[in-house]
Amino acid sequence: MKLLILGGGFGGLRLARLLNNKPGIDITIIDRFNYHQFQPLFYQVATAALDASNISFPLRKAFHNSKNVRIRMAEIERIDTVTKQVITNEDSYSYDYLVIATGASTNFFGNKNLEQHAFPMKSTVEALQLRHKLIQNFEDALHTNDATELQRLMNIVVVGGGPTGVELSGAIAEMKKYVLPKDYPELDFSKMNIYLLEAAGKTLAAMSEQSSNNSLTYLQRLGVTVKINALLQDYDGENVTLKDGTLIPSKLVIWAAGIKGNIPAGIDPSLVARGNRIKVDAFNFVQGMNNVFAIGDIAYMEEEAFPNGHPQVAPVAIQQATLLAKNLLHLRQGKIAQPFRYNDKGAMATVGRNLAVVDVPKPKLHFGGFFAWLIWMGLHLMLILGVKNRFFVFTNWLYNYVTYDQSLRLIFKEFYRKDEVNN
Ligand SMILES: Cc1cc2nc3c(=O)[nH]c(=O)nc-3n(C[C@H](O)[C@H](O)[C@H](O)COP(=O)(O)OP(=O)(O)OC[C@H]3O[C@@H](n4cnc5c(N)ncnc54)[C@H](O)[C@@H]3O)c2cc1C
């Protein structure tokens, strides 16, 4: 069986690892990067708490002793389901079975200004770019005598009150409290504002009422200005305009307000669901096909308990990959495949030091604070790939906890976006 896996993220990598060294299956993973990214901790890279290498794991290292898994670093361009080929910027690859696990990327909802000026955080490189911009703004603040420009440099706007926006604004607020005044004693940090804009009526809207309320309390306690029912209309690199006409001058807007599936060309538009996801059946077969699957963020599967599709989170990708590995082995043995049922073990988000929220569905529990924060840390440590990475993340966290400091506030100019370098 020639199995082609598109994407080495949570879903693609899990699938390949479960089929590693299984006789009779020849696997190729194609990804634009040669490493797996642990996206839940991007915000700590962006806020200089972790090094990028701590949350990235070389794909090839995961298959050092593999007889059947090969990696190709390439940009996937098109799928031809008739000739059973995937075309990349490097080569074409044929398949017997194809698994699309290309995840999701930032959705700017067609706003070109936002796309040009706001900072997304959907890859390790973007997290680094964000870190550089964040720190460079304070360096620039030291060089300006213009009070309006200074305020613009010291206002940070995070858009999107989901877990990413909440985690980011909490982490930036902690930098403001513990680190930045020591780095830049010439600046008056009482003038630094961190705005979190959320279009809906509450932060962490997908979580329980209690967790949502707790997150708001924690953010306010950290000094974040949370604006709910606040719809961003435009951002020109200098000012944020809200739908109600409010203007917020800011040189840094972080966009954490929308994602869309990375569908390679060649998928029929009739198979595309809301959020640019591919419609799949209960076995993760792309609807109407018997040799193409989609798993994880890119897959849209309706289940009784999830009539609008599953949440785009790592456990869904991991569970779908785990079942698909079993089903592919069963398929070869002529056995019956099992349909997918998502086992929702709950949701969590951290806001800052000793502050997190956790929802558990069975038994129904919602709690926050220090205990929730410990659980959040333990779970994330368990999920990070590689013993070395786990060790470094843990020691970094311990160091940061004890010293109230991080040591990664470095600016490597080459990482800047093109428009920034040109300025
Ligand atoms: C900032 C952030 C924080 C998050 N926090 C959490 C969290 O706390 N808990 C949680 O459960 N989930 C979290 N998520 C969501 C979680 O990361 C995703 O649900 C999960 O990664 C989905 O797995 P996947 O395998 O479908 O896709 P991904 O893990 O995104 O993998 C997709 C892979 O496909 C590759 N790819 C895509 N397009 C192409 C192309 N054209 N050519 C080549 N390669 C391509 C990508 O490089 C990537 O390696 C977070 C996501 C982000 C962005």
Side-chain angles (χ1 to χ4, degrees):
M1 180 195 290
K2 221 176 185 181
L3 179 68
L4 200 53
I5 302 175
L6 306 186
F10 279 99
L13 184 59
R14 168 61 63 110
L15 178 63
R17 290 184 104 182
L18 289 171
L19 297 175
N20 188 20
N21 287 333
K22 294 278 183 255
I25 306 183
D26 177 19
I27 301 169
T28 304
I29 304 176
I30 305 177
D31 200 296
R32 58 163 69 103
F33 301 121
N34 70 346
Y35 52 88
H36 168 79
Q37 314 176 91
F38 191 73
Q39 302 179 22
L41 291 180
F42 277 166
Y43 84 96
Q44 295 207 358
V45 171
T47 51
L50 286 177
D51 192 56
S53 61
N54 298 157
I55 61 151
S56 313
F57 190 83
L59 286 172
R60 289 179 193 287
K61 193 172 158 68
F63 299 101
H64 266 183
N65 298 315
S66 177
K67 293 187 179 68
N68 67 335
V69 180
R70 295 291 166 260
I71 318 285
R72 290 291 177 270
M73 194 170 96
E75 186 68 30
I76 299 148
E77 291 183 343
R78 192 162 52 84
I79 299 171
D80 187 332
T81 52
V82 177
T83 60
K84 296 206 252 178
Q85 286 216 321
V86 170
I87 295 93
T88 75
N89 63 334
E90 298 287 352
D91 279 306
S92 298
Y93 300 86
S94 59
Y95 63 83
D96 297 322
Y97 286 93
L98 177 68
V99 179
I100 308 172
T102 43
S105 57
T106 305
N107 191 353
F108 290 103
F109 302 101
N111 187 323
K112 292 281 169 218
N113 268 350
L114 267 180
E115 196 167 340
Q116 189 183 346
H117 300 293
F119 278 71
M121 200 183 58
K122 279 294 287 177
S123 68
T124 312
V125 172
E126 285 174 355
L128 281 171
Q129 287 170 332
L130 179 50
R131 175 200 293 185
H132 297 143
K133 176 72 176 168
L134 185 68
I135 298 162
Q136 182 68 48
N137 275 4
F138 295 108
E139 298 294 337
D140 292 346
L142 295 175
H143 298 291
T144 183
N145 295 319
D146 179 334
T148 314
E149 185 64 6
L150 181 66
Q151 192 57 62
R152 193 167 273 130
L153 285 162
M154 294 190 74
N155 284 348
I156 295 173
V157 180
V158 180
V159 191
T164 301
V166 166
E167 288 170 353
L168 254 175
S169 43
I172 297 170
E174 292 198 323
M175 284 181 92
K176 173 186 168 186
K177 192 167 169 192
Y178 300 119
V179 176
L180 294 171
K182 285 190 263 173
D183 272 9
Y184 304 96
E186 305 92 323
L187 298 175
D188 175 3
F189 278 91
S190 66
K191 293 201 175 119
M192 177 179 171
N193 298 309
I194 302 149
Y195 296 96
L196 176 63
L197 309 182
E198 169 53 48
K202 52 186 179 177
T203 49
L204 297 184
M207 291 188 75
S208 65
E209 199 67 28
Q210 186 181 326
S211 293
S212 169
N213 290 341
N214 278 345
S215 68
L216 181 64
T217 310
Y218 297 159
L219 285 166
Q220 286 169 339
R221 202 186 293 168
L222 285 169
V224 176
T225 308
V226 183
K227 286 180 173 283
I228 52 170
N229 299 314
L231 201 66
L232 181 142
Q233 183 150 298
D234 211 355
Y235 175 56
D236 61 3
E238 300 283 313
N239 296 303
V240 172
T241 313
L242 302 188
K243 186 120 191 268
D244 66 6
T246 310
L247 215 70
I248 306 173
S250 177
K251 282 277 194 191
L252 176 54
V253 170
I254 304 166
W255 185 251
I259 58 170
K260 58 174 183 202
N262 294 321
I263 303 186
I267 294 292
D268 193 277
S270 66
L271 294 170
V272 178
R274 212 162 52 95
N276 215 40
R277 299 168 84 180
I278 302 173
K279 292 179 193 167
V280 297
D281 67 14
F283 304 92
N284 282 97
F285 271 119
V286 172
Q287 281 184 9
M289 295 190 190
N290 59 9
N291 60 352
V292 182
F293 300 91
I295 58 172
D297 279 4
I298 190 74
Y300 176 81
M301 183 195 291
E302 287 174 5
E303 211 188 292
E304 203 179 321
F306 300 92
N308 299 313
H310 296 113
Q312 285 162 295
V313 289
V316 172
I318 291 171
Q319 287 179 31
Q320 288 185 341
T322 307
L323 182 67
L324 182 55
K326 251 193 220 160
N327 281 344
L328 280 168
L329 292 172
H330 281 176
L331 194 97
R332 293 180 63 243
Q333 295 158 359
K335 289 191 194 158
I336 300 204
Q338 259 181 53
F340 181 74
R341 290 270 173 281
Y342 177 44
N343 179 8
D344 185 1
K345 292 181 183 148
M348 58 176 75
T350 182
V351 187
R353 197 182 173 84
N354 304 340
L355 299 173
V357 289
V358 173
D359 284 349
V360 182
K362 281 182 220 148
K364 213 170 183 149
L365 275 177
H366 316 291
F367 53 97
F370 181 66
F371 185 53
W373 184 67
L374 282 183
I375 291 184
W376 180 92
M377 282 200 301
L379 216 96
H380 281 72
L381 268 183
M382 264 168 48
L383 285 171
I384 293 171
L385 221 56
V387 177
K388 187 203 85 186
N389 283 2
R390 237 170 259 160
F391 173 75
F392 280 117
V393 170
F394 178 69
T395 46
N396 256 291
W397 283 352
L398 205 62
Y399 176 85
N400 297 350
Y401 192 75
V402 175
T403 64
Y404 287 79
D405 198 358
Q406 317 104 332
S407 49
L408 295 161
R409 296 181 297 284
L410 312 168
I411 298 173
F412 300 110
K413 291 235 176 199
E414 309 81 69
F415 276 111
Y416 266 88
R417 295 185 332 174
K418 249 200 215 133
D419 56 327
E420 294 290 321
V421 174
N422 293 342
N423 283 337

